[in-house]
Amino acid sequence: MENENKNTFTIIDNRTGASYTIPVQDGTIRAMDLRQIKVTPDEFGTMSYDPAFMNTASCRSAITFIDGDRGILLYRGYPIEQLAEHCSFLEVAYLILYGELPTQDQLHDFERNVTLHTLVHENVKKLMEGFRYDAHPMGMFISSVAALSTFYPEARRVRDPEQRKLDIFRLIAKVPTIAAWSYRHHLGLPYVYPDNDLPYTANFMNMLWRKVESKYVANPVLARALDILFILHADHEQNCSANTMRCVGSSEADPYVTVAAAAAALSGPLHGGANEAVLTMLAEIGSKDNVPAYIKQIKEGKGKLMGFGHRIYKNYDPRARIIKQTADAVFEVTGRNPLLDIAIELERIALEDEYFIKRKLYPNVDFYSGIIYQAMGFPTSMFTVLFAIPRTVGWLAQWQEMLEDKEQKIARPRQIYIGHSRREFVPMEKRGTPQQMAAV
Ligand code: COA
């Protein structure tokens, strides 16, 4: 009993002198427990204010663990380094979705189920063909994934676990097809249908790069590198897009529009768009010699060093380390990307610089991934799409966990209202100038 009491906070409201005992669980207090703290019985009660969710847990989750200070990333308890070394992407997808590493039979079934659903309805193809020749592939991806919703109206039954299972297979299977077609569209090349004899990543490469050969054979080093990059990007707990997935999904919207919404969140340069921004930045720097001057500008507040810094990691992002190793294998096949030298110099100088040390700014996953993608032949506009393919797995796991969590309801934050108090309507003829109106 004594111990139980110890796991509490006593809050004294200095406005009233009243004292409140609030339970502490997992180092967390419930924001709703603050509501009882009020000066008069008829007032609303105390809220917590946390713009950008800097210190608010929005859920309990068993999927991904990050220790940002120590640079640790675990999926379902397994270190990312071990998974990247030993697993295929679909094996990791199974782990993230169902909580345990699959047996050989389970993996085989999972791969078969995903493979079965790689094709999209011919009208999705027609829809994609309707985009302008220079449409951004991420815009095409988001819209086409959302459009899948119209082909599977039964997906609205989000409370039905069997239905969810089917839609999860469909989404994981179809995102590479849509992604590859948005790339082919960009180049004016005919869309390539999936080849279900091929493993997940090799099939994706087939849909990207097959020309006139009767059977596409993926380079095994590049296929493995892509698989590793997919593993590294599969989930990252409650980031902006996962939060979007949970928020939109909490209204019980179907998973196709919900994944599209999460992908829209991913498309921003502060999230998934960062590796595109890294390459633009490296190209702008132009040569190793210009790096010190560029860093000086950043320190003067002229922009940010793209691919550096992270809301959670205040240490080297463990994914960045694995990507750096993968880069070496890729460059053996593709030849060295000249931007790599600029990136390495940038990292070296930044990591020794007081400004970056003090703020705990280290390279994140996006710092090197773009350089690899570019060496593989992807245009920068495809980078976020390449992120969205594996992250679909994480989004779906987060969505499923949210739906099964009895404590979750439709997401609906509070606000602190700072606008006008009630005022009387002013008819048009009495409005005067905008300045006079603002003063009303
Ligand atoms: N380059 C230079 N300075 C940076 C920086 C960067 N990439 N990232 C953060 N900082 C500085 C901020 O200016 C701020 O400095 P100040 O204390 O003097 O004002 C300090 O570091 C803290 O940054 P803050 O913006 O509070 O961190 P955040 O947690 O809100 O932002 C990111 C995290 C990822 C949005 C931010 O680091 C960023 O924009 N990075 C570049 C984009 C990127 O690579 N995104 C991919 C994320 S995986």
Side-chain angles (χ1 to χ4, degrees), residues 269-271 274 298 304-311 314 355-356 359 361 364-366:
L270 297 189
H271 191 5
I298 300 280
K304 282 190 175 164
L305 200 54
M306 286 295 137
F308 260 70
H310 199 276
R311 173 61 61 79
K314 301 301 171 197
Y355 176 96
F356 295 90
R359 290 170 179 76
L361 298 168
N364 58 47
V365 69
D366 296 307

Side-chain angles (χ1 to χ4, degrees), residues 354-372:
E354 182 58 22
Y355 176 96
F356 295 90
I357 296 169
K358 212 174 95 200
R359 290 170 179 76
K360 298 188 174 168
L361 298 168
Y362 293 88
N364 58 47
V365 69
D366 296 307
F367 192 63
Y368 286 105
S369 62
I371 302 173
I372 303 184

Side-chain angles (χ1 to χ4, degrees), residues 195-410:
D195 176 348
N196 285 353
D197 291 341
L198 298 175
Y200 192 80
T201 313
N203 182 33
F204 176 49
M205 292 166 73
N206 157 65
M207 292 186 284
L208 288 165
W209 292 315
R210 188 169 147 209
K211 294 266 169 62
V212 289
E213 63 272 44
S214 56
K215 188 91 182 163
Y216 180 82
V217 182
N219 179 302
V221 175
L222 299 188
R224 180 63 193 147
L226 211 48
D227 224 45
I228 291 174
L229 284 157
F230 281 1
I231 292 170
L232 301 183
H233 286 89
D235 192 55
H236 212 229
E237 53 115 312
Q238 306 312 314
N239 52 76
C240 179
S241 59
N243 183 54
T244 304
M245 187 77 196
R246 282 176 174 264
C247 181
V248 175
S250 74
S251 76
E252 300 194 359
D254 76 59
Y256 300 96
V257 290
T258 309
V259 165
L266 185 72
S267 70
L270 297 189
H271 191 5
N275 54 7
E276 187 172 339
V278 170
L279 283 211
T280 312
M281 174 187 78
L282 294 176
E284 198 184 308
I285 296 173
S287 95
K288 256 171 78 172
D289 301 340
N290 298 334
V291 168
Y294 193 82
I295 292 205
K296 188 165 168 275
Q297 269 185 41
I298 300 280
K299 284 162 57 181
E300 286 164 359
K302 293 181 194 137
K304 282 190 175 164
L305 200 54
M306 286 295 137
F308 260 70
H310 199 276
R311 173 61 61 79
I312 304 289
Y313 291 116
K314 301 301 171 197
N315 199 322
Y316 212 98
D317 181 340
R319 301 168 301 169
R321 195 168 278 132
I322 301 168
I323 285 192
K324 225 171 152 183
Q325 291 157 7
T326 309
D328 294 335
V330 168
F331 295 146
E332 291 242 329
V333 177
T334 61
R336 197 173 165 83
N337 185 337
L339 296 181
L340 183 68
D341 294 328
I342 304 174
I344 289 174
E345 181 68 356
L346 203 57
E347 180 184 339
R348 189 186 67 76
I349 296 185
L351 290 184
E352 285 172 359
D353 192 295
E354 182 58 22
Y355 176 96
F356 295 90
I357 296 169
K358 212 174 95 200
R359 290 170 179 76
K360 298 188 174 168
L361 298 168
Y362 293 88
N364 58 47
V365 69
D366 296 307
F367 192 63
Y368 286 105
S369 62
I371 302 173
I372 303 184
Y373 289 143
Q374 191 181 58
M376 282 180 167
F378 289 106
T380 49
S381 56
M382 270 300 284
F383 292 179
T384 330
V385 179
L386 292 166
F387 193 159
I389 297 170
R391 186 53 64 84
T392 297
V393 167
W395 291 330
L396 291 168
Q398 299 283 347
W399 171 71
Q400 170 124 293
E401 187 175 64
M402 181 271 302
L403 288 170
E404 286 173 353
D405 182 344
K406 300 256 179 315
E407 280 201 290
Q408 291 292 342
K409 294 167 184 272
I410 186 164

